[in-house]
Amino acid sequence: MIHRVFSVHRLGRHLGAEIRDLDLSRPLDAHTFAAVSEAFFENQVVVFRDQRLTPAQQIAFTGRFGVLEHHVRKEHRLEGHPEILVVSNVLNEQGRAIGVQDAGRFWHSDLSYKAEPSLLSALYAREVPIRDGVVLGNTSFASAIAAYEALPHAMRRRIEGLKNVHSYRYYREKNRVAQRDEQARGERIVDEYALTDAQLQSVPDVEVPVVRTHPVTGRRGLFVNEAHTSAIVGLPGAEGAALLAELCAHILRPEFRYEHVWRAGDLLMWDNAAVQHRANFDYDLPLRRLMHRTTVRGSAPY
Ligand SMILES: [Fe+2]
């Protein structure tokens, strides 16, 4: 078999790379896939530009990294393809958004509140909002691994062995309050679906280590985030909140960041065990944003 040759171009100082010269609509041979996988975990965020992927092709490529999740929000799964979560502000005939549009207001890693949080997410851009030639809706990333590696030794010792609670319930409440405040300021109205008790009960709170070992690379990284961490286990509320704020601020230092400016046709993949991300809501209808996300199941953090 002939191996396909691609090149890797670094985008940020600690994370991010563009992988060029690969057409992901065609199956990769095992050797090429292994090299792509290695480049992905090394760079933590990678983009393949100018792709033309059907839902089935996106599922086929990203499914090679592991089992694909079916998102808890059934109403936003792509019909006929439960592995694909629609992320969009486009409205259906009833005037409701066809996809998740509030996924990513706060810094987070995807599904970190699950007992087995996702290993990686892949977002394929079908439509990207552009105003006056400027692309809107950038996605920002921060490397929790680079952040951990840069921590002073005293802080590393302080957080060694600590656990924190990741809570979907906490996240939903935090989002609800933020939406209410935004609406009160007249900023934007986000269409929000209420979750059923059964949906909420399917994602109970989990206790996970503050310092996590990456399941593939073995590198250690911080595993706290502002969206999902509701408490540091064993610390009084104020002390836990102060430590959490300090760690989150550290992760978000500019040197650990990469901001992705989207183009239609981008397949962007990020390593949820290595980075956090946040969406930038600086666009609204009639500017359309339409993306398809697949998410690979991970393993229990340790
Ligand atoms: Fe996300």
Side-chain angles (χ1 to χ4, degrees), residues 10 13-15 42-44 107 141-157 159 210-212 214 219-225 243-258 271 273-277:
R10 199 72 193 243
R13 181 163 148 201
H14 289 286
L15 73 167
E42 183 183 333
N43 290 287
Q44 305 171 36
W107 286 92
F141 294 90
S143 173
I145 286 180
Y148 175 77
E149 291 172 349
L151 275 181
H153 286 293
M155 178 58 95
R156 286 204 211 183
R157 275 195 301 275
I159 61 178
V210 167
V211 181
R212 176 181 185 179
H214 194 283
R219 293 171 78 183
R220 304 188 83 201
L222 290 168
F223 194 45
V224 295
N225 68 64
L243 176 60
L244 177 64
E246 187 177 348
L247 292 174
C248 288
H250 174 74
I251 292 166
L252 301 182
R253 278 164 49 172
E255 61 266 39
F256 309 133
R257 303 265 286 267
Y258 163 68
D271 178 345
V275 304
Q276 301 181 6
H277 59 282

Side-chain angles (χ1 to χ4, degrees), residues 103-104 106 108-111 121 139 171 270 272 277-279 293:
F106 302 106
H108 68 283
S109 55
D110 291 328
L111 307 186
S121 299
T139 306
Y171 163 70
W270 61 88
N272 281 305
H277 59 282
R278 185 180 64 174
R293 185 175 109 186

